[in-house]
Amino acid sequence: MTLPKMSPAPPVLDVGDTCHGFTVTKAVPLPHLNGVFYSLVHVLTNAQYIHIQCPDRENAFGVALKTVPTDSTGVAHILEHTVLCGSRKFPVRDPFFSMLKRSLNTFMNALTAADWTLYPVASMNRKDFYNLMGIYLDATYFPLLREQDFLQEGHRLDFADPGDPASLMIKGVVFNEMKGAMADPSSLLGRRLNAALFPTTCYGENSGGEPLVIPDLTWEQLRAFHKAYYHPSNSWIFTYGNLLLEEHLQQIDDLALSRFE
């Protein structure tokens, strides 16, 4: 099979150049990718930005944030789910699942780790790529965080059988997800070991949420966690592919970063 010939990535910006509120701090040639690695900083908000310009039609975008939990309520994990339940510009029910059915994306997800949260997407279609970028930027920085979405994604009391008062139980997307994950006996060793090795840091907590502790989380605490960590100054943004860096910068500044102080 003969692979299609890819044209070289065009030169974009140089160190010290400013474009759409960003300043280039590093530009490193990547001969093995026929491209360039760029590091930039947003002057207004101090958001960090990384871009790999190369002749790959598979374009990717993501926002990563430092999220450091102080307990095992799963606040970062539940917040990751809840921000994708509607935002200021897209106040619809579960836009994430609407995108799955309507988008031409090649990858779309959200990930929670011990001390960071990531929202990545990828698409080979230019219009679809920028649509996804706009939706993810609005969801990350301007989510509605409605209480009903917290009850859906986090935890709530509900009846397994509406006609049986004795069937009251705890439900919730993340609660049920973590019940299944923690039911695996192999997970117990890692959790206990981390708690013993890192008792005073976030690595000793279960960032996904311990089922016995998740019900301690309140909607107000979820909103406070978002306010504390979901700000451009605490985020890294990245892009990859053959679309032009200048257009990425314009979209990101116009849709999100320019709205902050």
Side-chain angles (χ1 to χ4, degrees):
M1 183 178 69
T2 302
L3 295 176
K5 185 177 180 180
M6 297 188 297
S7 58
V12 185
L13 299 170
D14 204 353
V15 175
D17 289 349
T18 299
C19 181
H20 298 292
F22 288 87
T23 298
V24 180
T25 59
K26 188 181 294 185
V28 181
L30 301 174
H32 58 295
L33 290 179
N34 198 16
V36 185
F37 167 90
Y38 291 95
S39 177
L40 306 94
V41 62
H42 190 252
V43 178
L44 179 65
T45 64
N46 201 41
Q48 304 298 307
Y49 187 101
I50 287 174
H51 174 68
I52 295 179
Q53 185 78 34
C54 67
D56 190 345
R57 293 192 306 121
E58 184 75 77
N59 285 273
F61 162 81
V63 180
L65 305 113
K66 179 182 178 181
T67 50
V68 185
T70 58
D71 54 38
S72 295
T73 59
V75 58
H77 188 189
I78 295 172
L79 183 57
E80 171 224 303
H81 281 242
T82 311
V83 299
L84 295 173
C85 288
S87 62
R88 184 185 304 174
K89 191 175 179 180
F90 305 98
V92 298
R93 183 72 172 173
D94 287 334
F96 181 81
F97 291 102
S98 298
M99 289 187 290
L100 283 175
K101 294 180 288 186
R102 293 174 173 84
S103 168
L104 298 173
N105 72 85
T106 52
F107 183 82
M108 182 168 61
N109 210 334
L111 315 168
T112 301
D115 57 4
W116 52 262
T117 304
L118 172 64
Y119 299 90
V121 294
S123 179
M124 300 178 72
N125 179 282
R126 180 183 177 278
K127 183 173 179 60
D128 183 56
F129 174 79
Y130 282 116
N131 284 341
L132 293 171
M133 175 188 285
I135 293 170
Y136 260 50
L137 283 170
D138 206 63
T140 303
Y141 294 119
F142 311 108
L144 297 179
L145 299 182
R146 294 167 292 205
E147 187 173 13
Q148 64 182 18
D149 296 324
F150 167 70
L151 297 176
Q152 169 188 284
E153 301 297 325
H155 64 87
R156 66 186 184 278
L157 288 174
D158 205 345
F159 291 99
D161 178 2
D164 181 8
S167 66
L168 188 65
M169 62 185 299
I170 300 175
K171 291 185 179 180
V173 175
V174 172
F175 179 81
N176 290 335
E177 178 183 327
M178 295 311 296
K179 274 180 63 180
M182 298 303 101
D184 183 353
S186 64
S187 70
L188 182 61
L189 176 61
R191 289 147 58 202
R192 297 304 184 192
L193 187 61
N194 285 341
L197 291 174
F198 311 108
T200 61
T201 72
C202 64
Y203 307 108
E205 306 294 345
N206 185 344
S207 61
E210 285 285 348
L212 290 176
V213 186
I214 288 175
D216 293 339
L217 181 68
T218 67
W219 177 49
E220 291 76 16
Q221 289 171 331
L222 183 87
R223 293 172 63 88
F225 193 86
H226 182 274
K227 184 177 180 180
Y229 290 104
Y230 278 57
H231 188 276
S233 62
N234 188 49
S235 61
W236 282 81
I237 302 169
F238 73 87
T239 48
Y240 166 94
N242 65 355
L243 295 178
L244 293 181
L245 172 58
E246 294 99 321
E247 191 165 5
H248 292 337
L249 300 180
Q250 180 181 7
Q251 291 288 327
I252 292 167
D253 185 60
D254 289 349
L255 296 176
L257 302 190
S258 62
R259 304 182 190 182
F260 289 89
E261 298 179 356

